[in-house]
Amino acid sequence: MDDLQLLEAALTKPEPSAETLDRRRHQLQNTMRGPVRTHRSRRPMFAIGATAAAGTVAVAVAVAATGALAPGSAHKDRTTTAEMSGSQVLLVAATTAETKPAASGTYWHVKIGATGTAQTFESWTTTDGRRWVRVQGGAVTKLPGRHPITVRRTHLRMEQVAKLPASPSALKARLLGSATVPAKDSKNPAVRETLTIMLLENLLSEVPAPPKVRAAALRALASLPDVKNLGRVPGGQSLQFSGQGGGTKLVVDPKTSAVSGEGYADINGRQESMGQTTTTAAWTNEPPR
């Protein structure tokens, strides 16, 4: 039985524990990236996935200097996005994010899907932590108890997210300092960098961060080494972080600042996807249905 089936089973039981449901939700979000097939590899293969919370984390990241285009000049010509570096795409998206007005609503609606599969997860959460969920298009179920909106893998709640720094370097430090996974204490810079990417992705794709905080998160990603623009894909530009061994790809739309992620492993010199997830999140006044 996979994690999605476990979540469905939990939802059908009378009075399931809130802790169980929330844990299954997080496992589903992680396992949507999928397991990597086992092969012998000439390179070390590392990834942060569902095992990160258990402390099994190791990452290999190739470090290289990446030039950046000033946000103003990049913003003037969106038609050349495919020719921009990865950092430049992120800086354009940061400018977009910063100029978008802050939104509000009754429910924070998140929908996560795994590309190429029927796995989906939806949640509607109010500011006071009431939550409704739906998996694989089934019936909407109200979870017992309260489930505050948080940045996954951290203890940061929505009210704390609203006060996060708008400086890219300060934001990275704050996210790492708030992380709840053992990787935060790693002495390996590559491990900490990959965890930083994941925390920034979670902040950008899953929680209602203010425009200036979203802009800072995108600029923080742009400041990381070895960000490569792989070109246009559905949903935006495919950006690759890291190199040998494995890492993360993000699909970033510079016109909307939307972000989705995909993990990958390097198997004998060939990239193997760990599953691409597509996340949409927005405030809505429409009740769960």
Side-chain angles (χ1 to χ4, degrees):
M1 180 179 289
D2 62 23
D3 286 302
L4 183 60
Q5 291 171 318
L6 287 171
L7 178 58
E8 287 181 306
L11 290 174
T12 59
K13 292 179 181 178
E15 300 299 330
S17 75
E19 181 182 357
T20 297
L21 292 177
D22 201 45
R23 182 172 67 252
R24 292 306 180 195
R25 168 179 174 265
H26 287 178
Q27 288 176 344
L28 171 61
Q29 290 171 322
N30 282 321
T31 55
M32 277 180 175
R33 295 182 185 275
V36 180
R37 295 195 300 272
T38 302
H39 296 277
R40 294 190 63 185
S41 175
R42 293 190 297 271
R43 302 179 182 179
M45 188 282 288
F46 302 101
I48 296 181
T51 54
T56 309
V57 180
V59 182
V61 180
V63 178
T66 302
L69 185 65
S73 57
H75 191 64
K76 291 178 182 178
D77 187 6
R78 293 177 183 273
T79 62
T80 60
T81 302
E83 301 172 5
M84 295 178 186
S85 70
S87 295
Q88 290 164 357
V89 170
L90 288 161
L91 291 174
V92 173
T95 300
T96 301
E98 197 167 35
T99 56
K100 294 180 71 173
S104 62
T106 305
Y107 307 94
W108 179 246
H109 179 217
V110 178
K111 184 172 183 179
I112 302 174
T115 301
T117 75
Q119 296 185 56
T120 60
F121 176 88
E122 283 185 273
S123 66
W124 293 259
T125 308
T126 60
T127 55
D128 62 357
R130 289 172 295 142
R131 179 173 295 170
W132 294 257
V133 300
R134 172 164 55 204
V135 291
Q136 279 189 290
V140 173
T141 302
K142 187 179 187 299
L143 301 187
R146 301 289 178 172
H147 305 266
I149 298 170
T150 60
V151 179
R152 195 153 45 100
R153 301 184 181 93
T154 79
H155 59 66
L156 293 172
R157 296 191 176 191
M158 189 175 71
E159 59 270 20
Q160 296 167 308
V161 170
K163 299 176 182 178
L164 286 173
S167 159
S169 58
L171 178 61
K172 287 191 293 184
R174 181 79 171 89
L175 288 172
L176 277 175
S178 302
T180 56
V181 293
K184 64 176 288 186
D185 298 318
S186 174
K187 303 299 183 183
N188 186 335
V191 172
R192 290 172 63 84
E193 181 178 296
T194 300
L195 177 58
T196 298
I197 293 171
M198 296 183 73
L199 295 177
L200 290 167
E201 177 193 346
N202 294 342
L203 176 67
L204 286 163
S205 63
E206 297 180 14
V207 301
K212 289 187 179 299
V213 174
R214 285 184 55 80
L218 288 159
R219 289 176 181 135
L221 287 170
S223 72
L224 297 174
D226 197 31
V227 185
K228 183 179 180 181
N229 183 6
L230 301 181
R232 180 75 185 174
V233 296
Q237 298 294 123
S238 177
L239 307 183
Q240 176 180 298
F241 294 79
S242 80
Q244 294 183 0
T248 302
K249 294 178 184 177
L250 297 181
V251 177
V252 179
D253 188 342
K255 295 182 179 179
T256 65
S257 76
V259 174
S260 290
E262 175 183 13
Y264 72 89
D266 192 327
I267 307 296
N268 293 327
R270 184 181 63 188
Q271 288 186 7
E272 294 278 353
S273 175
M274 296 172 66
Q276 181 178 348
T277 62
T278 301
T279 303
T280 58
W283 285 110
T284 180
N285 290 319
E286 292 291 325
R289 57 190 175 90

